[in-house]
Amino acid sequence: MRIFFLLIITLLFQTSLKAQIDSTSKQDKLNYFLKIVDTLRNKGENPAMAIAIVYENELIFKGGFGVSNIENKTKVNNQTLFEIGSLTKGFTGTIASLLIKDGLIKWDDKVKKHIPNFKLKDKYAEENTTLIDLLTHKVGLDKHYYLMYGPKYESEELLSKIEYLSFSNTFREKYVYNNFMYTIAGMLEENVSNKNWDTLIKEKIFLPLKMNHSFSTSDDFLKYENRTTSYRNDGKTVIPHYSFDTYAPAGNITSNIDDMSKWLMMFANYGQVDGTEFLAKKEIDFLVSPLTVKNGLTKEFYGIGWEIDLLENTIYHKGSSAGQQSIIQINPEQGFGIVVLTNQQSAIQSVIGYYADRIFLKNNFERLTQYEEIIEKRANQTISNYDDFSLNDENEINKAEKIIGTYNHPAYGKIIINKKHKNVFSFEYTDFIGTIKSDKKNDTYIAFVNHFTGKEEMHFKINYRNNKVKSITLNIAYTEPLEFEKN
């Protein structure tokens, strides 16, 4: 009898709780969500953030938090400029759709038709890559992420370097995320329109949507007084602004929450802007179609500048630059969307996006303590650099002296190894600077390098010809081992 009574009480409580949650007003949800944002910002030492929320096809919140520069204590407002990173890819895909509408190009046009000097290491891929392959990450080229922080190339020069980059998969075999292919897509858009990409995005998107304070060049960002400073995960260590102008179509747009709310509203309302059609629904549907399989088991796909989660019926994308992180996620069927912009190396924006989905769409108010602890832990990680490493063994020193010199790779540029002190040998690859230590066990060396985004270990081995140093083979992430020939 007692067990039956407890079951009745439990059911009544659950029913009452469900009724309470289901009847929670839009404002109650927003208030609860903003309290969580405040808690996360405190735990994560977040300097600045801006958020826009569309709910039931209406913009219910748009605002900024914190200071864009902790030294000057400049308060964030709706016009404060952030770097949106790879959220840019959605804009590049939309430009392609608009150029197709203009009859200037087709999705299945081969790249070489519009860029004759387009070359790849895989010659079959070179001849057959289409616009849609570029935009859906189907080409198979390795990510080559560190090359974006390598030598400063102009677009045309970069085009001549890509043929020296390795593939991680066979052409069209599987999803391989790649910024360089989006860069090529932007060049293709320039060629068919006879306009540079900066002009193209202004005319095709920024002006029609009245995104009056959004830019695609670093110069425009740096001229804009109300802009954010970038910070490491501790929210205090400054990261200098890094230009990705060459890779603008892949991730160089800067924008504020006022403008990004307009972009969000357009997609959340299937291409409609203030009752006017900017994009037809069929065009939106194609951009967010599951065109490339990321993970079939979890029903994750990639469209054209958009990630697609079919289990959650959500389209989204994350953005990352040197010290700034962002996310946009939209559920068009429910008229919901959110944009989060931050100026910190953190995962806080993803946790906020996850909370927004649970609160506004699922009426789930449970706290995600495990995620919050991760944010807090990351913010409290010590920021440090590697100290100089010494070679104390006389034989090691003599051996290291033989590898002093400059080494070149046709795409990645040069590595310089030099003698810094009596037993300290320096290693320099662009802004990755440090010292080396021998790894006797594997007969290799480790370069312990510092970079403004963090510290890295770069392993390399020495290749000999006729007892002389011929080259070094460098192992870094996102590519096959790279051979740098000695000058």
Coordinates of all heavy atoms in Angstrom, one line a residue, residues 320-367:
S320 N 36.0 29.6 -35.8 CA 37.2 29.7 -35.0 C 38.2 30.6 -35.7 O 38.5 30.3 -36.9 CB 37.8 28.4 -34.6 OG 38.9 28.5 -33.9
S321 N 38.8 31.5 -35.0 CA 39.9 32.3 -35.5 C 41.0 32.3 -34.4 O 40.9 31.5 -33.5 CB 39.5 33.7 -35.9 OG 39.1 34.4 -34.8
A322 N 42.0 33.1 -34.6 CA 43.1 33.1 -33.6 C 42.5 33.9 -32.3 O 42.7 35.1 -32.2 CB 44.3 33.8 -34.1
G323 N 41.9 33.1 -31.4 CA 41.5 33.8 -30.2 C 40.0 34.2 -30.2 O 39.6 34.8 -29.2
Q324 N 39.2 33.8 -31.2 CA 37.8 34.1 -31.1 C 37.0 32.8 -31.6 O 37.4 32.1 -32.5 CB 37.4 35.3 -32.0 CG 38.2 36.5 -31.6 CD 37.4 37.8 -31.8 OE1 36.2 37.8 -31.8 NE2 38.2 38.9 -31.7
Q325 N 35.9 32.6 -30.9 CA 35.0 31.4 -31.2 C 33.6 31.8 -31.4 O 33.1 32.8 -30.7 CB 35.1 30.4 -30.1 CG 36.5 29.9 -29.7 CD 37.1 29.0 -30.7 OE1 36.4 28.2 -31.3 NE2 38.4 29.0 -30.9
S326 N 32.9 31.1 -32.2 CA 31.5 31.5 -32.5 C 30.7 30.2 -32.9 O 31.2 29.2 -33.2 CB 31.4 32.5 -33.6 OG 32.0 32.0 -34.8
I327 N 29.4 30.4 -32.8 CA 28.5 29.3 -33.3 C 27.2 29.9 -33.7 O 26.7 30.9 -33.2 CB 28.2 28.2 -32.2 CG1 27.5 27.0 -32.7 CG2 27.4 28.8 -31.0 CD1 27.5 25.8 -31.7
I328 N 26.6 29.3 -34.8 CA 25.3 29.6 -35.2 C 24.5 28.3 -35.3 O 25.1 27.3 -35.9 CB 25.2 30.4 -36.6 CG1 23.8 30.7 -37.0 CG2 26.0 29.6 -37.7 CD1 23.7 31.7 -38.1
Q329 N 23.3 28.2 -34.8 CA 22.5 27.0 -35.0 C 21.0 27.4 -35.2 O 20.5 28.3 -34.5 CB 22.7 26.0 -33.8 CG 22.3 26.6 -32.4 CD 22.8 25.7 -31.3 OE1 23.9 25.3 -31.2 NE2 21.8 25.3 -30.5
I330 N 20.4 26.7 -36.0 CA 19.0 27.0 -36.5 C 18.2 25.8 -36.6 O 18.6 24.8 -37.1 CB 19.0 27.8 -37.8 CG1 20.0 29.0 -37.8 CG2 17.6 28.2 -38.2 CD1 20.2 29.6 -39.1
N331 N 16.9 25.9 -36.1 CA 15.9 24.8 -36.4 C 14.8 25.5 -37.1 O 13.9 26.1 -36.5 CB 15.4 24.2 -35.0 CG 14.5 23.0 -35.3 OD1 13.6 23.1 -36.1 ND2 14.8 22.0 -34.6
P332 N 14.9 25.6 -38.4 CA 13.9 26.3 -39.2 C 12.4 25.9 -39.0 O 11.5 26.7 -39.1 CB 14.3 26.2 -40.7 CG 15.8 25.7 -40.6 CD 15.9 25.0 -39.3
E333 N 12.3 24.6 -38.8 CA 10.9 24.0 -38.7 C 10.2 24.6 -37.5 O 9.0 24.7 -37.4 CB 10.9 22.5 -38.6 CG 11.4 21.8 -39.9 CD 11.3 20.3 -39.8 OE1 11.0 19.8 -38.7 OE2 11.7 19.6 -40.8
Q334 N 11.0 25.0 -36.5 CA 10.4 25.5 -35.3 C 10.6 27.0 -35.1 O 10.4 27.6 -34.1 CB 10.9 24.8 -34.0 CG 10.5 23.3 -34.0 CD 10.8 22.7 -32.7 OE1 10.4 23.2 -31.6 NE2 11.5 21.5 -32.7
G335 N 11.2 27.6 -36.2 CA 11.4 29.1 -36.2 C 12.4 29.5 -35.1 O 12.2 30.6 -34.5
F336 N 13.4 28.6 -34.8 CA 14.3 28.9 -33.7 C 15.8 29.1 -34.3 O 16.2 28.4 -35.2 CB 14.3 27.8 -32.7 CG 15.4 27.9 -31.6 CD1 15.2 28.8 -30.6 CD2 16.5 27.2 -31.7 CE1 16.2 29.0 -29.6 CE2 17.5 27.3 -30.8 CZ 17.4 28.2 -29.7
G337 N 16.5 29.9 -33.7 CA 17.9 30.0 -34.0 C 18.7 30.9 -33.0 O 18.1 31.7 -32.2
I338 N 20.0 30.6 -32.9 CA 20.8 31.4 -32.0 C 22.2 31.6 -32.6 O 22.7 30.7 -33.3 CB 21.0 30.7 -30.6 CG1 21.8 31.5 -29.7 CG2 21.6 29.3 -30.8 CD1 21.8 31.0 -28.2
V339 N 22.8 32.8 -32.4 CA 24.2 33.1 -32.7 C 24.9 33.5 -31.5 O 24.4 34.3 -30.7 CB 24.3 34.3 -33.7 CG1 25.8 34.6 -34.0 CG2 23.7 33.9 -35.1
V340 N 26.1 32.9 -31.2 CA 26.9 33.3 -30.1 C 28.3 33.7 -30.6 O 28.9 32.9 -31.3 CB 27.0 32.1 -29.1 CG1 27.8 32.6 -27.9 CG2 25.7 31.6 -28.7
L341 N 28.7 34.9 -30.3 CA 30.0 35.4 -30.7 C 30.9 35.6 -29.4 O 30.4 36.2 -28.5 CB 29.9 36.7 -31.5 CG 29.0 36.7 -32.7 CD1 28.9 38.1 -33.2 CD2 29.4 35.7 -33.7
T342 N 32.1 35.1 -29.4 CA 33.0 35.3 -28.3 C 34.4 35.7 -28.7 O 34.8 35.5 -29.9 CB 33.1 34.1 -27.4 OG1 34.0 33.1 -28.0 CG2 31.8 33.4 -27.1
N343 N 35.2 36.3 -27.8 CA 36.6 36.7 -28.1 C 37.5 36.0 -27.3 O 38.5 36.5 -26.7 CB 36.7 38.2 -28.0 CG 36.6 38.7 -26.5 OD1 36.0 38.0 -25.7 ND2 37.2 39.8 -26.2
Q344 N 37.4 34.6 -27.2 CA 38.2 33.8 -26.3 C 38.3 32.4 -26.9 O 37.4 31.9 -27.5 CB 37.5 33.7 -24.9 CG 38.1 32.9 -23.9 CD 37.3 32.7 -22.7 OE1 36.1 32.9 -22.7 NE2 37.9 32.4 -21.5
Q345 N 39.5 31.8 -26.7 CA 39.7 30.4 -27.0 C 39.0 29.5 -26.0 O 39.6 29.2 -24.9 CB 41.2 30.1 -27.1 CG 41.9 30.6 -28.3 CD 43.3 30.1 -28.4 OE1 44.0 29.9 -27.4 NE2 43.8 29.9 -29.6
S346 N 37.8 29.1 -26.3 CA 37.0 28.4 -25.3 C 35.9 27.6 -26.0 O 35.7 27.8 -27.2 CB 36.4 29.4 -24.3 OG 35.4 28.7 -23.5
A347 N 35.3 26.7 -25.3 CA 34.1 26.0 -25.9 C 32.8 26.5 -25.3 O 31.8 25.9 -25.4 CB 34.3 24.5 -25.6
I348 N 32.9 27.7 -24.6 CA 31.7 28.2 -24.0 C 30.5 28.4 -24.9 O 29.4 28.2 -24.6 CB 32.1 29.5 -23.2 CG1 30.9 29.9 -22.3 CG2 32.4 30.6 -24.2 CD1 31.3 31.1 -21.4
Q349 N 30.8 28.8 -26.2 CA 29.8 29.1 -27.1 C 29.0 27.8 -27.5 O 27.8 27.9 -27.7 CB 30.3 29.8 -28.4 CG 31.1 28.9 -29.3 CD 32.5 28.5 -28.8 OE1 33.0 29.1 -27.9 NE2 33.0 27.4 -29.3
S350 N 29.7 26.7 -27.5 CA 29.0 25.4 -27.8 C 28.1 25.0 -26.7 O 27.0 24.5 -26.9 CB 30.0 24.3 -28.1 OG 30.7 24.6 -29.3
V351 N 28.5 25.2 -25.5 CA 27.7 24.8 -24.3 C 26.5 25.7 -24.3 O 25.4 25.3 -24.0 CB 28.5 24.9 -23.0 CG1 27.7 24.6 -21.8 CG2 29.7 24.0 -23.1
I352 N 26.6 27.0 -24.5 CA 25.5 27.9 -24.6 C 24.5 27.5 -25.6 O 23.3 27.6 -25.4 CB 26.0 29.4 -24.8 CG1 26.7 29.9 -23.5 CG2 24.9 30.3 -25.2 CD1 27.4 31.2 -23.6
G353 N 25.0 27.2 -26.8 CA 24.1 26.7 -27.9 C 23.4 25.5 -27.5 O 22.2 25.3 -27.8
Y354 N 24.0 24.6 -26.8 CA 23.4 23.3 -26.3 C 22.3 23.7 -25.3 O 21.2 23.1 -25.3 CB 24.4 22.4 -25.7 CG 24.0 21.0 -25.5 CD1 23.1 20.4 -26.4 CD2 24.4 20.3 -24.4 CE1 22.7 19.1 -26.2 CE2 24.0 19.0 -24.2 CZ 23.2 18.4 -25.1 OH 22.7 17.1 -24.9
Y355 N 22.6 24.6 -24.4 CA 21.6 25.0 -23.4 C 20.4 25.6 -24.1 O 19.2 25.4 -23.7 CB 22.2 26.0 -22.4 CG 22.7 25.4 -21.1 CD1 24.0 25.6 -20.7 CD2 21.8 24.7 -20.3 CE1 24.4 25.0 -19.5 CE2 22.2 24.2 -19.1 CZ 23.5 24.4 -18.7 OH 23.9 23.8 -17.5
A356 N 20.6 26.5 -25.1 CA 19.5 27.1 -25.8 C 18.6 26.1 -26.4 O 17.4 26.3 -26.3 CB 20.1 28.1 -26.8
D357 N 19.1 25.1 -27.0 CA 18.3 24.1 -27.7 C 17.5 23.4 -26.7 O 16.3 23.1 -26.9 CB 19.2 23.1 -28.4 CG 18.5 22.0 -29.1 OD1 17.9 22.2 -30.1 OD2 18.4 20.9 -28.5
R358 N 18.0 23.0 -25.5 CA 17.3 22.3 -24.5 C 16.2 23.1 -23.9 O 15.1 22.7 -23.6 CB 18.3 21.8 -23.4 CG 19.2 20.7 -23.9 CD 20.4 20.5 -22.9 NE 20.0 20.0 -21.6 CZ 19.9 18.8 -21.3 NH1 20.2 17.8 -22.2 NH2 19.6 18.4 -20.1
I359 N 16.5 24.4 -23.6 CA 15.6 25.3 -22.9 C 14.4 25.7 -23.8 O 13.3 25.5 -23.4 CB 16.3 26.5 -22.3 CG1 17.3 26.1 -21.2 CG2 15.3 27.5 -21.8 CD1 18.2 27.2 -20.8
F360 N 14.7 26.2 -25.0 CA 13.7 26.8 -25.8 C 12.9 25.7 -26.6 O 11.7 25.9 -26.9 CB 14.3 27.8 -26.8 CG 14.8 29.0 -26.1 CD1 16.1 29.2 -25.8 CD2 13.9 30.0 -25.7 CE1 16.5 30.4 -25.1 CE2 14.3 31.2 -25.1 CZ 15.6 31.4 -24.8
L361 N 13.6 24.6 -27.0 CA 12.9 23.7 -27.9 C 12.4 22.4 -27.1 O 11.5 21.8 -27.5 CB 13.8 23.3 -29.0 CG 14.2 24.4 -30.0 CD1 15.0 23.8 -31.1 CD2 13.0 25.1 -30.5
K362 N 13.1 22.0 -26.0 CA 12.8 20.8 -25.4 C 12.2 21.0 -24.0 O 11.9 20.0 -23.3 CB 14.1 19.9 -25.3 CG 14.6 19.5 -26.6 CD 15.9 18.6 -26.5 CE 16.3 18.1 -27.8 NZ 16.9 19.1 -28.7
N363 N 12.1 22.2 -23.6 CA 11.6 22.5 -22.2 C 12.4 21.7 -21.1 O 11.8 21.3 -20.2 CB 10.1 22.2 -22.1 CG 9.3 23.2 -22.9 OD1 9.6 24.3 -23.0 ND2 8.2 22.7 -23.4
N364 N 13.7 21.6 -21.3 CA 14.5 20.9 -20.4 C 15.4 21.9 -19.7 O 16.2 22.6 -20.3 CB 15.4 19.9 -21.2 CG 16.2 19.0 -20.3 OD1 16.5 19.3 -19.1 ND2 16.5 17.8 -20.8
F365 N 15.2 22.0 -18.4 CA 15.9 23.0 -17.6 C 17.0 22.4 -16.7 O 17.5 23.1 -15.8 CB 14.9 23.8 -16.7 CG 13.9 24.5 -17.5 CD1 12.7 23.9 -18.0 CD2 14.1 25.8 -17.9 CE1 11.8 24.6 -18.8 CE2 13.2 26.5 -18.7 CZ 12.1 25.9 -19.1
E366 N 17.4 21.2 -17.0 CA 18.4 20.5 -16.2 C 19.8 21.2 -16.4 O 20.1 21.5 -17.6 CB 18.5 19.0 -16.6 CG 19.5 18.2 -15.8 CD 19.6 16.8 -16.4 OE1 18.9 16.4 -17.3 OE2 20.5 16.1 -15.8
R367 N 20.6 21.3 -15.4 CA 21.9 21.9 -15.5 C 22.9 20.9 -16.0 O 22.9 19.7 -15.5 CB 22.3 22.5 -14.1 CG 21.5 23.7 -13.7 CD 21.6 24.9 -14.7 NE 23.0 25.5 -14.6 CZ 23.3 26.5 -13.8 NH1 22.4 27.1 -13.0 NH2 24.5 27.0 -13.9

